[in-house]
Amino acid sequence: MAYYAVEYTFTPDRRHLRVRPPHREYLADLAERGSIALCGPLASDTGGLLIFRAGSEAEVRELVDGDPYMREGVIDGVRVEEWNPVIGSLIGHLDG
């Protein structure tokens, strides 16, 4: 299992606000299953950052595709990168 950093960029029309409740329910379910380590919107509310725990980038992309934000078309861009956490106050709380 590896960690993956995912950055969402929202469409500029702010439609993501109406989809936020089901999006958060979806992510809460993923967190309960251990697929999400951390996530949240950027302070500017122009996008979000999610840290996934998964077996492959393809698995992460499948989870991203299932997100209500993606299904409702309120994401303008997605960036997925495998991430190697090394230093920080949360490091002891991460698996791996």
Side-chain angles (χ1 to χ4, degrees), residues 9 16 24 29 37-38 49 61 64 70 73 82 84 93-94:
T9 305
H16 68 280
R24 287 188 173 171
D29 181 59
L38 292 168
L49 181 64
R61 289 192 180 274
V64 166
M70 291 299 287
E82 189 170 345
N84 185 24
H93 299 282
L94 300 175

Side-chain angles (χ1 to χ4, degrees), residues 2 4 6 9 23-25 30 36-38 47-48 58-59 77 79 84 87 89:
Y4 293 84
V6 176
T9 305
H23 160 75
R24 287 188 173 171
E25 288 176 24
L30 292 180
I36 290 279
L38 292 168
E59 181 182 338
R79 181 174 169 219
N84 185 24
I87 297 170
S89 62

Side-chain angles (χ1 to χ4, degrees), residues 25-70:
E25 288 176 24
Y26 178 74
L27 294 182
D29 181 59
L30 292 180
E32 285 181 28
R33 296 186 344 215
S35 297
I36 290 279
L38 292 168
C39 61
L42 301 175
S44 63
D45 206 26
T46 58
L49 181 64
L50 307 91
I51 305 297
F52 283 86
R53 178 107 165 114
S56 69
E57 182 176 328
E59 181 182 338
V60 171
R61 289 192 180 274
E62 187 175 306
L63 294 171
V64 166
D65 286 345
D67 189 326
Y69 275 173
M70 291 299 287

